[in-house]
Amino acid sequence: MNIICLQENLKKALNIVERIIGRNLTLPILNNLLLSVENNKLKISSTNLEIGINHWIPCKIKEKGSITIPAKLINDFINNLPNEKVELKIKNKQLELKCKKFKSVLNGLSASDFPIIPKIESQPLVSIKNNLLKNSFAQVVEMASISESRPEISGVYMKFYKNTIKLAATDSFRLAEKNIEINSKELKEQSIIIPQRTVLEIIRILGEKEGQEEEIKIALSNNQILFDFNSTQVISRLIDGQYPDYQQIIPSNSQTEIVIDRVELINNIKVASLFTGKVNDIKMFIDPGKSIIEISSKNTDVGENKSKIEADIKGNEVEVIFNYRYILDGLNNIYSDKVIIGLNDNVKPVLIRPVGDLSYSYVVMPIKV
Amino acid sequence: MNIICLQENLKKALNIVERIIGRNLTLPILNNLLLSVENNKLKISSTNLEIGINHWIPCKIKEKGSITIPAKLINDFINNLPNEKVELKIKNKQLELKCKKFKSVLNGLSASDFPIIPKIESQPLVSIKNNLLKNSFAQVVEMASISESRPEISGVYMKFYKNTIKLAATDSFRLAEKNIEINSKELKEQSIIIPQRTVLEIIRILGEKEGQEEEIKIALSNNQILFDFNSTQVISRLIDGQYPDYQQIIPSNSQTEIVIDRVELINNIKVASLFTGKVNDIKMFIDPGKSIIEISSKNTDVGENKSKIEADIKGNEVEVIFNYRYILDGLNNIYSDKVIIGLNDNVKPVLIRPVGDLSYSYVVMPIKV
């Protein structure tokens, strides 16, 4: 390899591919990035054996070749160089770098030992705008279960229909569902489960590219998923298993319906959270007569709190207990000023939705007393 | 106690006093803040037995009284309230708080068990502008030794002269000295050693009050120091001991003198730092003939680096080895575009100063080979 590229492009590329790399003591090559020349570009790849990332940047090629270099080292190195041309040259299994008045030699490992990142050659199923995909993933990803005992709910469920993609995630205490409208008449109905880590990486990479509008193409093959967008490919394994039939849990009607200011509700719950017990319990008393929700909590060691919020309330009076964290997670993933909360009694699932946006549903189970 | 004050004032006050509080399991009252009424104001106090902070805020007083409340709890609580009037009332050893539609009861501990924060009644020695004091402390504080074995250098040395205050800190590998000009004809020559933690707290509190210009009054009494400024008092114990006679270490002349761009030097040292060995060693070769400094480093596991910077150099050629961290600490505490570096040989102390500012000196010992 003997190529020249710009420091700025290298820096951006390294930032995109480097983050999935941990510290692997048993397989040191996983700490490295693979640098190779492909399609007249420099291709930089990383993998943690579950997720692989490829990123291509323009360069001037004098000689092809490939090598792997410790990710942290080359990232720190390139970050501190001036924004000038960088010459990269392989010499005796080392990478020689020159930039203005800097000259360095980085020890590498052979490219042939680098794990193969699967290639997905199949046609993309669908393409989605980057911001829509990022925001939709962000609204559900943290509800996925962190426990390993039920791997099928440890990821984000993605179901493709002709005109819609449904995303869902749950840890059995609460559930989020997001519908993305698409226009793809040939799409075959099918569903997959994407590991939470993969979805978090996609959100991160799309966040770093913010500003540019682009289309993300999604393709599937052999239990692998490909997210393909401008110069970057993320390839991930999928989770095997049957996702629970969660649709039956989302309540279709409600005895009590509340319309309430989202930020005010968040603030009152945060205050109440300071006085909760071991199960993070806060009590909500919904009073349609006074058009008021009263939130209260008590901890004998700490003290107690009571607060009131005005709200539009239709239907029955009800008193219900929640884990405050689960309510906050839902409210924090809604972007409207007001939310609609639908309840039936103090044990049945509760539905929270943004006012004026039917694409998002958040369901939370009350704490039974 | 039965008083009313504004949420905004309470929030600012708690933020100032709360940070010195750690988690004390043996003496739980140290996790609390003391709330009392003094001079028609609400006084909030914290102590970690080394440093004490008092802060006063205006309030409407219906009834005097005092109580202690867990710092984290009241801070989190007040932070989440709306910016409205807050009513604080002591009832059965608990603090009752009301704000708009919030009503809470916080469990407290008796004010009589709270450690006494020493009072310093003596006249202030001197007063210094807040920004000048903050920036001067910041330029030396991190050079203090973190080792407990020599307590006298674990703090910041402060020596008062008629027209100057000298601040110094060292860990015996490097030393920083800052001179503050003052105008106080009656000041008696004397010196003290302030714990590093106290200086860090002063920097933090002054940073939070940035924008307002004010005078910080400094008073001494019984091995305690008082920093007194607009509504806040910080009282700290001083360190006993004889500060080393560091003046003799600061070189008074130099065989080789370099004037060099500060940011460029920092960047080149950062790149070199990626290839250092166990002692963080980088080599600097100063070449007056070519007007160039060559920085190099090598680590057999990682690789090697060489870079060149143009500089104005007078005097002899010299090759010297540094711990890169010590050089960076000095360069990062200088605010001029260019720095002057004075050397004599490869073992004698090296002096780094801002161009055009004689008030700051940074001395670093080379690594002997």
Side-chain angles (χ1 to χ4, degrees):
Chain A
M1 180 187 291
N2 185 354
I3 60 171
I4 294 172
C5 41
L6 283 176
Q7 184 265 355
E8 198 183 2
N9 291 335
L10 270 171
K11 186 175 153 180
K12 279 188 201 158
L14 291 168
N15 199 23
I16 287 171
V17 302
E18 190 246 12
R19 299 277 188 93
I20 56 164
I21 304 237
R23 261 195 143 210
N24 201 307
L25 296 173
T26 49
L27 209 56
I29 202 155
L30 290 181
N31 304 327
N32 284 19
L33 301 176
L34 174 64
L35 279 66
S36 56
V37 174
E38 196 181 277
N39 304 331
N40 277 315
K41 287 185 172 172
L42 171 64
K43 177 184 175 187
I44 307 183
S45 307
S46 61
T47 180
N48 63 10
L49 300 182
E50 177 168 288
I51 309 170
I53 306 181
N54 298 317
H55 185 85
W56 286 263
I57 59 175
C59 64
K60 209 183 279 178
I61 300 160
K62 291 185 194 164
E63 205 185 312
K64 292 188 178 183
S66 57
I67 192 170
T68 81
I69 296 291
K72 193 174 163 0
L73 175 66
I74 190 165
N75 196 34
D76 288 347
F77 180 76
I78 297 293
N79 263 303
N80 281 300
L81 290 184
N83 186 9
E84 302 278 345
K85 285 178 186 167
V86 183
E87 194 185 317
L88 298 94
K89 205 171 172 177
I90 299 175
K91 225 178 182 176
N92 309 325
K93 293 193 179 169
Q94 291 180 312
L95 184 67
E96 207 180 276
L97 288 123
K98 280 185 201 162
C99 175
K100 247 189 138 185
K101 286 183 176 156
F102 290 89
K103 195 180 157 183
S104 298
V105 178
L106 275 57
N107 293 355
L109 291 170
S110 164
S112 58
D113 296 336
F114 197 77
I116 290 166
I117 298 174
K119 276 200 177 145
I120 297 183
E121 312 275 10
S122 55
Q123 282 301 306
L125 283 183
V126 66
S127 76
I128 307 175
K129 286 216 163 51
N130 53 346
N131 283 330
L132 179 61
L133 183 67
K134 189 194 77 178
N135 295 336
S136 302
F137 269 153
Q139 282 187 292
V140 302
V141 67
E142 59 183 305
M143 305 346 146
S145 171
I146 47 167
S147 139
E148 300 283 303
S149 63
R150 290 183 61 193
E152 73 278 8
I153 59 166
S154 73
V156 171
Y157 181 68
M158 193 171 194
K159 183 156 187 181
F160 300 89
Y161 298 90
K162 266 197 177 40
N163 298 309
T164 318
I165 296 173
K166 269 191 196 302
L167 300 177
T170 182
D171 60 3
S172 82
F173 301 107
R174 70 275 179 60
L175 172 130
E177 187 196 60
K178 174 76 181 178
N179 289 288
I180 306 176
E181 269 182 52
I182 49 161
N183 199 341
S184 168
K185 282 172 192 153
E186 279 143 52
L187 195 54
K188 217 180 72 192
E189 202 174 301
Q190 57 191 305
S191 68
I192 53 174
I193 307 169
I194 312 171
Q196 191 189 35
R197 174 76 193 267
T198 305
V199 175
L200 288 170
E201 280 306 316
I202 294 288
I203 294 169
R204 176 184 70 76
I205 296 173
L206 291 176
E208 276 171 16
K209 291 195 157 197
E210 217 147 61
Q212 310 155 250
E213 198 171 280
E214 45 181 313
E215 293 280 328
I216 318 294
K217 296 191 207 86
I218 297 176
L220 299 176
S221 150
N222 294 326
N223 213 29
Q224 298 277 346
I225 187 166
L226 164 69
F227 296 89
D228 191 355
F229 43 111
N230 196 12
S231 329
T232 309
Q233 281 189 343
V234 179
I235 297 114
S236 165
R237 73 163 183 89
L238 294 170
I239 295 172
D240 272 332
Q242 182 70 38
Y243 204 76
D245 177 21
Y246 69 86
Q247 294 276 357
Q248 58 181 30
I249 293 165
I250 303 179
S252 48
N253 51 18
S254 45
Q255 304 278 330
T256 307
E257 198 173 272
I258 306 160
V259 177
I260 192 165
D261 186 87
R262 187 179 66 91
V263 172
E264 198 180 350
L265 182 58
I266 288 175
N267 289 342
N268 285 47
I269 292 174
K270 277 189 188 164
V271 172
S273 75
L274 302 171
F275 302 88
T276 57
K278 274 183 200 156
V279 291
N280 296 329
D281 50 320
I282 59 168
K283 195 190 279 179
M284 281 170 79
F285 175 63
I286 291 117
D287 185 344
K290 292 188 186 155
S291 292
I292 269 183
I293 297 188
E294 192 182 270
I295 299 175
S296 60
S297 56
K298 187 172 182 168
N299 178 316
T300 44
D301 294 335
V302 179
E304 59 183 270
N305 169 263
K306 212 171 251 185
S307 71
K308 289 172 186 169
I309 317 178
E310 285 166 24
D312 291 332
I313 307 171
K314 279 181 210 153
N316 301 340
E317 183 180 297
V318 52
E319 188 175 82
V320 58
I321 296 171
F322 290 110
N323 179 326
Y324 79 87
R325 286 183 192 273
Y326 295 156
I327 294 274
L328 283 184
D329 284 346
L331 294 172
N332 286 329
N333 280 301
I334 288 176
Y335 303 110
S336 62
D337 292 344
K338 286 179 179 278
V339 293
I340 309 175
I341 305 177
L343 302 96
N344 280 299
D345 56 23
N346 60 0
V347 289
K348 293 213 184 89
V350 174
L351 177 63
I352 306 179
R353 303 182 96 170
V355 166
D357 172 13
L358 294 173
S359 74
Y360 187 67
S361 303
Y362 186 81
V363 179
V364 55
M365 297 303 295
I367 296 176
K368 286 170 197 169
V369 224
Chain B
M1 178 187 293
N2 184 354
I3 60 171
I4 293 173
C5 42
L6 282 177
Q7 185 264 355
E8 197 182 3
N9 291 336
L10 270 171
K11 186 174 153 181
K12 277 187 203 160
L14 291 169
N15 199 24
I16 287 171
V17 301
E18 190 246 10
R19 299 278 188 91
I20 56 165
I21 305 237
R23 265 196 138 208
N24 202 307
L25 296 173
T26 50
L27 209 55
I29 202 156
L30 290 182
N31 303 327
N32 284 18
L33 301 176
L34 174 64
L35 279 65
S36 55
V37 174
E38 198 181 276
N39 304 332
N40 277 316
K41 286 186 172 172
L42 170 64
K43 177 184 173 187
I44 307 183
S45 307
S46 61
T47 178
N48 63 10
L49 300 181
E50 177 168 290
I51 310 170
I53 306 181
N54 298 316
H55 186 83
W56 287 263
I57 59 174
C59 64
K60 210 183 280 177
I61 300 161
K62 291 186 192 162
E63 204 184 315
K64 291 187 180 185
S66 56
I67 192 170
T68 80
I69 296 290
K72 196 177 161 359
L73 175 65
I74 190 165
N75 195 33
D76 288 348
F77 180 75
I78 297 292
N79 263 303
N80 281 301
L81 290 184
N83 186 9
E84 302 278 346
K85 284 179 188 167
V86 184
E87 194 186 317
L88 297 93
K89 207 171 173 178
I90 298 175
K91 226 178 182 175
N92 309 325
K93 293 194 180 167
Q94 291 180 312
L95 184 67
E96 208 181 274
L97 288 123
K98 281 184 199 163
C99 175
K100 248 188 135 183
K101 287 186 174 152
F102 290 90
K103 195 180 157 185
S104 298
V105 177
L106 274 57
N107 294 354
L109 291 169
S110 164
S112 58
D113 295 336
F114 198 77
I116 290 167
I117 298 174
K119 275 200 179 147
I120 297 183
E121 312 275 10
S122 55
Q123 281 301 306
L125 282 184
V126 67
S127 75
I128 307 175
K129 287 219 159 55
N130 54 346
N131 283 330
L132 180 60
L133 183 67
K134 189 194 79 181
N135 296 337
S136 302
F137 268 154
Q139 281 187 293
V140 303
V141 66
E142 60 182 304
M143 303 348 144
S145 172
I146 47 168
S147 139
E148 301 282 304
S149 63
R150 290 182 61 193
E152 73 280 8
I153 59 167
S154 73
V156 171
Y157 180 68
M158 193 171 194
K159 182 156 188 181
F160 300 90
Y161 298 89
K162 266 197 175 45
N163 298 309
T164 317
I165 296 172
K166 269 191 195 301
L167 301 177
T170 183
D171 61 4
S172 81
F173 302 107
R174 71 277 179 58
L175 173 132
E177 187 195 59
K178 174 76 180 178
N179 290 287
I180 306 176
E181 269 183 53
I182 49 160
N183 200 342
S184 169
K185 281 170 196 157
E186 279 143 53
L187 195 54
K188 217 181 69 194
E189 202 174 302
Q190 57 190 308
S191 66
I192 54 174
I193 307 168
I194 312 170
Q196 191 190 34
R197 175 75 194 266
T198 305
V199 175
L200 289 170
E201 280 306 316
I202 295 288
I203 295 169
R204 176 184 70 76
I205 295 172
L206 292 175
E208 275 170 16
K209 291 194 158 196
E210 219 147 61
Q212 310 154 247
E213 199 170 280
E214 44 181 313
E215 293 281 329
I216 319 295
K217 296 192 208 83
I218 298 176
L220 299 176
S221 150
N222 293 327
N223 213 27
Q224 297 277 345
I225 187 165
L226 164 69
F227 297 89
D228 191 356
F229 43 111
N230 196 13
S231 327
T232 310
Q233 281 188 344
V234 178
I235 296 114
S236 165
R237 73 163 184 86
L238 294 170
I239 295 173
D240 272 332
Q242 182 70 39
Y243 203 76
D245 177 20
Y246 69 87
Q247 294 276 357
Q248 58 181 28
I249 293 165
I250 303 180
S252 49
N253 50 18
S254 46
Q255 303 279 329
T256 307
E257 199 173 271
I258 306 159
V259 176
I260 192 166
D261 186 88
R262 188 179 66 92
V263 172
E264 198 180 350
L265 182 58
I266 288 175
N267 288 342
N268 285 48
I269 292 174
K270 278 189 185 162
V271 172
S273 75
L274 302 172
F275 303 87
T276 58
K278 274 182 200 158
V279 291
N280 296 328
D281 50 318
I282 58 168
K283 194 188 280 177
M284 279 170 78
F285 174 64
I286 291 118
D287 185 345
K290 292 188 185 154
S291 292
I292 269 182
I293 297 188
E294 192 183 271
I295 299 176
S296 59
S297 55
K298 187 172 182 168
N299 178 317
T300 43
D301 294 334
V302 178
E304 59 183 271
N305 171 262
K306 212 170 253 185
S307 71
K308 288 172 186 169
I309 317 179
E310 284 165 25
D312 290 332
I313 307 170
K314 278 181 212 153
N316 301 341
E317 184 180 298
V318 51
E319 188 175 82
V320 57
I321 297 171
F322 290 111
N323 180 325
Y324 79 88
R325 287 183 191 272
Y326 295 156
I327 295 274
L328 283 184
D329 284 346
L331 294 172
N332 286 328
N333 280 300
I334 287 176
Y335 303 110
S336 62
D337 291 345
K338 286 179 179 278
V339 295
I340 308 176
I341 306 176
L343 302 97
N344 281 297
D345 56 23
N346 59 0
V347 290
K348 294 216 184 85
V350 174
L351 177 63
I352 306 179
R353 303 182 94 169
V355 165
D357 172 13
L358 294 173
S359 74
Y360 187 67
S361 304
Y362 186 81
V363 179
V364 56
M365 297 303 293
I367 297 176
K368 286 170 197 169
V369 226

